[in-house]
Amino acid sequence: MDPQMILTFTILLITTVLFIFGRFRTDIVALGSLLALTLTGILTTGEALAGFSNPIVIMIAGLFVVGAGIFQTGLARVVGKQLLKVAGNNETKLLIMIMLVVAFLSAFISNTGTVAVLMPVVVLLSFELKINPAKFLIPLAYASSLGGVLTLIGTAPNLVISQTLVQYGYGRLSFFDFTPIGAIALFTGIIFIVLVRNFLLPNDKNPQNSASGADLSLDELIDSYHLQSNIYRLTISPESEMIRKSLAELKLPNTYRVSVIGIERKHTTGKAVIHGYNGYSNIIPGPATVIEESDILYVQGALDQIKILCRENQLKLEDTITPNSIETGSIHKQLINKYIGIAEVLLTPNSNLVNHSIEEIHFREKYNLNVISINRKGHYIQKDVSKKKLLFGDALLVQGNWKDIELLSKDNQDVVVLGQTSKHASMAAASGKAPMAALIMLFMLGLMTLEIVPPVIAVLISAMFMLITGCVRNMDDAYRTINWESVILIAAMLPMATALEKTGGVAFLSETIIQKIGIYGPLAVLAGFYIMTTAFSQFISNTATAVIFAPIAITTALSLGVHPLPFLMTVAVSASMAFATPVASPTNALVMTAGNYKFSDFVKVGLPLQIVIGIVMILTLPMIYPF
C-alpha cells in the first residue's frame, strides 16, 4: 500500500474513533481531520478548503433559515396540531398520525427542528390521554429519520450522493427521486413500531412529568398566571386631566397601585407601534409615553383602586375582561407583539433582589421591565406587586421590550429567565405570517421540482424571502438558526473523499469489496455496502458516513459494470437508518431525556427495526433503481 494511502486511512480511523466516543464536538474532530490531511501534504490548501464552497454546504445553511421561518411563524405547530387532532383518543391511531406528521415535515425541513417543535405537542397529548410519553417519543425520532429519505432535501446524505453523481458526470437527482424507496422504508417502520410497541417500548402507565420537556407557549404562560381576572380597560375622556401627561408624571403605581400594561390609540404612527388591530394601534407603555384623548388603557390593579383612579381622573371603566370574554385575545395582543413580550423569571439563591420589594430595588428603572405578577408556590400575587418583598423561589412574570428581556436573560447573577427568550421574540415577530411561510415553502418546492434553477439557488431565494417578509426576524436570527456544527462538519469532511480518491484509497476499498463479495453478484455487493454504511451511522454522523462511502460505492459500481444509482441510493438510505443507539442521530438524543429512556431502550427497539428495514431495503432498492 502507498504510504500516503496508509496515512489517509489512519487519519480516517482516528477521526471515526473520536466521532464514536464523542468526547469532542464533531465539528472540532472534522476540522482536526482536515488540518491533518493538509499538514501531511495529502491535500493542498485549495483542496482542503473546497468543501466550504461546495453547493451542499451553502444549501444546508440556507435550509436552516427556511426551516426557521416555518417554525417561527407557527406553521409547523399549526399543521402538527391539526393533523394530530384527527387521531382522537385512539392510541394506535395517534401513534400512526404522529409518525406520518413528523415524517412529512422532515421530508422538507430539518428533522431535528421538526422533532423539537412536535415533541412538546406529543407530550401534552400523551398526558391528556394518560399515556406515558415514552410510548411516542422514540417513534417520533425514528419517523423523522425515515421521513428524511422521502425527498432530495430531507437529509444531508441525499444531497451528498446527488452531488457525487454530478461530480462523476451523471445527472443530478430530482426532488422526488427518493420518494418511492423512502415511502417503503417509512411504512415498513410504521408497521413494525405499531406491532411491537407494547412489547419493546417502555410500558409504564404513569406519565412522568419530569420527562415532558414541554415549555409553555407565551399565550399559555399568560393563561397560567390568570391575568384576565385582574386587568381592566379604561377609556380616556376629553375632560381627563391625564391628557398630555407622561406615565412618569402620573406615577400611577405609587398613587393608585395601578400599572399600565398596554395602550390602544387611533391613527398613531411611530416606531413602537403595531398597526391593524381593530382600527387601533398598540403602543408600548413606558415612562415617556404621553396619554392622549380617547386612548384605551389596559391597566392592572385592585378594582377599588381602579374605581378611584377613574373617579379622580374622568376615565370610563369598561367591562371586566374575563377568561371567556371575546376581549381576552386583546390582552394577549397588549402583552405580546412584535416589539414587546413577557417572560418568566426566577430569583437565584444569592440574588440581591431577595427580601426587597420591586419598588425598593427600582426594578423598572434598572431593567426597563414591568413586573406584572408573582408566582409564590402556586399562589399568584397581582395586587400591590411593587410593594411585596421578593422571596427565594418566587417566579416573576415580567413585561417589556423584547430587547430588554433578552438583555435580562444574560444576567445570571440575580435572576434566571426561563424559556428561550430569543426564540419567543422571533416567534412573536413572525406571528400571523404562517400563510406567507407556507407560500414561500411551496414556492421553493416548485422551483426544485420543476428544476427552474439549481436547488441551492432555490433555497437561497427562499431564505431571502423569509427574511424580507419578516418570517425570520432579522439577519442575526437567521445566523443564529443555522446549526454551524453541522455546516462545518460537512464542509470539513467533504475533502476526506478527495483524499481517499487522490491516494488510491477509494480504488483499494472498491477492489477489496469486489474481490471478497463481487463473486456473488451486484446484489451481494449492495448488501455489503448497506451493512457497512448503516453500522458506521450508528456511531458517527450520517453525513460523514455518506461522504466516506459515496465515492467508494460509485467506484465499485463502475468496476462491476453496473449503474451506480442503486449503490449510491443504498448509501443514502442506510446512512439515515440510525436507530440502534441514542447517539446515532440528533433526534434520538433529543428524545432520550424527554422520554426518560435508557441506552438499552434504543437497542431493544432500534436494532430489530434496523434489521427488518435493512432486509426490505436490500430487496427493494434494485427493483426501484435497477443495476
Side-chain angles (χ1 to χ4, degrees):
M1 290 177 64
D2 183 80
Q4 282 201 319
M5 185 196 302
I6 296 173
L7 187 56
T8 302
F9 279 126
T10 301
I11 293 171
L12 176 59
L13 178 62
I14 294 171
T15 302
T16 303
V17 170
L18 290 174
F19 277 145
I20 291 172
F21 284 99
R23 185 171 181 180
F24 303 101
R25 282 171 48 126
T26 56
D27 52 347
I28 295 295
V29 174
L31 283 171
S33 171
L34 182 67
L35 289 172
L37 291 172
T38 308
L39 294 174
T40 54
I42 295 171
L43 293 178
T44 65
T45 302
E47 290 169 335
L49 299 178
F52 290 90
S53 62
N54 193 291
I56 295 175
V57 176
I58 306 301
M59 186 174 176
I60 288 173
L63 284 171
F64 277 114
V65 178
V66 174
I70 292 168
F71 294 134
Q72 291 177 8
T73 57
L75 177 61
R77 185 177 288 272
V78 169
V79 172
K81 280 188 174 181
Q82 291 303 315
L83 290 176
L84 288 171
K85 282 182 181 178
V86 177
N89 295 327
N90 186 295
E91 181 182 333
T92 302
K93 193 175 179 182
L94 177 60
L95 178 64
I96 294 171
M97 287 300 301
I98 286 171
M99 295 188 74
L100 287 175
V101 168
V102 73
F104 173 78
L105 292 175
S106 296
F108 303 103
I109 48 184
S110 160
N111 59 351
T112 304
T114 301
V115 170
V117 167
L118 290 183
M119 186 169 67
V121 178
V122 171
V123 170
L124 291 174
L125 282 172
S126 66
F127 282 153
E128 288 177 11
L129 297 176
K130 294 181 171 54
I131 300 171
N132 190 340
K135 292 292 290 291
F136 299 117
L137 292 178
I138 275 182
L140 178 77
Y142 288 175
S144 71
S145 296
L146 292 165
V149 186
L150 289 170
T151 64
L152 176 65
I153 65 169
T155 186
N158 297 3
L159 297 169
V160 169
I161 69 143
S162 179
Q163 184 66 21
T164 303
L165 281 168
V166 172
Q167 288 174 350
Y168 279 79
Y170 293 88
R172 187 175 62 246
L173 292 173
S174 68
F175 192 81
F176 293 107
D177 275 344
F178 289 88
T179 305
I181 195 64
I184 293 172
L186 174 61
F187 286 110
T188 301
I190 291 175
I191 293 169
F192 177 86
I193 292 293
V194 168
L195 292 176
V196 306
R197 72 186 190 280
N198 292 326
F199 307 103
L200 300 182
L201 286 167
N203 207 24
D204 182 7
K205 297 296 182 183
N206 298 316
Q208 300 295 321
N209 289 325
S210 61
S212 72
D215 292 332
L216 292 177
S217 70
L218 294 182
D219 286 341
E220 291 168 338
L221 185 60
I222 290 174
D223 293 339
S224 72
Y225 271 80
H226 312 293
L227 294 180
Q228 291 89 345
S229 62
N230 199 39
I231 292 180
Y232 303 87
R233 290 190 306 154
L234 312 179
T235 301
I236 304 294
S237 66
E239 301 80 20
S240 176
E241 295 179 1
M242 292 174 61
I243 296 174
R244 289 185 293 279
K245 291 184 179 179
S246 69
L247 291 178
E249 292 177 81
L250 293 170
K251 299 180 180 178
L252 299 181
N254 292 332
T255 307
Y256 300 100
R257 298 179 181 176
V258 170
S259 299
V260 179
I261 65 170
I263 301 174
E264 285 184 357
R265 179 176 299 166
K266 283 186 176 180
H267 312 303
T268 301
T269 58
K271 182 179 179 181
V273 172
I274 311 298
H275 293 287
Y277 174 62
N278 291 345
Y280 282 82
S281 301
N282 292 346
I283 309 298
I284 300 175
T289 303
V290 176
I291 301 300
E292 295 184 7
E293 181 183 335
S294 299
D295 278 355
I296 298 175
L297 308 184
Y298 285 77
V299 298
Q300 182 185 45
L303 182 57
D304 56 346
Q305 293 295 316
I306 299 289
K307 289 180 178 178
I308 295 173
L309 169 66
C310 291
R311 186 171 60 251
E312 295 183 357
N313 294 276
Q314 296 79 47
L315 307 181
K316 179 183 178 184
L317 173 61
E318 306 290 350
D319 292 336
T320 303
I321 299 171
T322 64
N324 296 322
S325 167
I326 60 172
E327 298 295 341
T328 300
S330 65
I331 292 295
H332 291 231
K333 287 182 171 61
Q334 290 299 327
L335 293 175
I336 308 168
N337 55 48
K338 183 175 181 180
Y339 299 101
I340 61 176
I342 60 170
E344 193 172 23
V345 176
L346 292 180
L347 303 184
T348 62
N350 300 317
S351 174
N352 294 319
L353 310 185
V354 173
N355 295 325
H356 295 282
S357 68
I358 301 294
E359 190 175 67
E360 288 173 347
I361 58 181
H362 304 288
F363 192 95
R364 179 70 178 82
E365 292 78 8
K366 183 177 181 180
Y367 297 108
N368 203 30
L369 297 169
N370 295 315
V371 178
I372 57 179
S373 185
I374 300 174
N375 177 1
R376 181 166 292 167
K377 297 180 180 179
H379 173 64
Y380 295 95
I381 301 171
Q382 295 171 1
K383 296 179 180 178
D384 295 332
V385 172
S386 62
K387 306 288 184 183
K388 300 293 182 183
K389 286 191 179 294
L390 300 178
L391 305 177
F392 172 64
D394 284 352
L396 315 180
L397 189 67
V398 300
Q399 178 218 24
N401 193 292
W402 279 117
K403 290 182 179 179
D404 293 317
I405 294 176
E406 289 178 285
L407 191 62
L408 179 65
S409 67
K410 298 176 182 178
D411 176 13
N412 295 321
Q413 180 179 347
D414 292 323
V415 298
V416 175
V417 177
L418 300 181
Q420 300 177 349
T421 305
S422 295
K423 174 185 171 184
H424 287 155
S426 299
M427 293 180 72
S431 178
K433 296 182 183 291
M436 178 59 68
L439 285 175
I440 294 172
M441 186 178 77
L442 292 173
F443 173 73
M444 180 184 76
L445 298 181
L447 289 179
M448 288 182 153
T449 304
L450 299 175
E451 299 184 355
I452 297 172
V453 294
V456 64
I457 299 301
V459 170
L460 290 178
I461 292 172
S462 303
M464 184 64 73
F465 280 158
M466 286 291 186
L467 280 161
I468 293 173
T469 58
C471 294
V472 175
R473 187 167 47 151
N474 49 42
M475 282 301 293
D476 288 338
D477 254 21
Y479 289 133
R480 199 160 34 233
T481 59
I482 296 172
N483 186 325
W484 292 106
E485 182 176 354
S486 298
V487 172
I488 298 298
L489 168 67
I490 296 167
M493 282 303 295
L494 282 170
M496 176 61 76
T498 304
L500 287 170
E501 188 171 2
K502 186 177 178 181
T503 60
V506 170
F508 172 78
L509 289 174
S510 176
E511 290 169 5
T512 302
I513 292 172
I514 293 172
Q515 288 173 5
K516 301 293 184 183
I517 313 176
I519 57 174
Y520 301 106
L523 182 60
V525 177
L526 183 143
F529 267 106
Y530 190 99
I531 294 169
M532 285 191 298
T533 307
T534 198
F536 265 72
S537 68
Q538 302 312 305
F539 302 101
I540 68 174
S541 156
N542 61 355
T543 306
T545 303
V547 167
I548 292 167
F549 281 98
I552 302 171
I554 196 168
T555 304
T556 302
L558 295 175
S559 299
L560 290 172
V562 297
H563 199 284
L565 183 58
F567 284 87
L568 286 173
M569 283 292 189
T570 296
V571 169
V573 171
S574 56
S576 297
M577 301 298 110
F579 309 127
T581 70
V583 299
S585 166
T587 55
N588 291 6
L590 193 62
V591 303
M592 187 175 183
T593 301
N596 200 25
Y597 295 118
K598 300 186 290 291
F599 190 99
S600 59
D601 290 325
F602 287 90
V603 178
K604 188 165 59 174
V605 184
L607 189 57
L609 176 61
Q610 204 89 47
I611 294 170
V612 170
I613 289 185
I615 293 170
V616 173
M617 291 294 97
I618 290 168
L619 294 176
T620 55
L621 274 162
M623 296 180 186
I624 300 173
Y625 313 102
F627 293 116

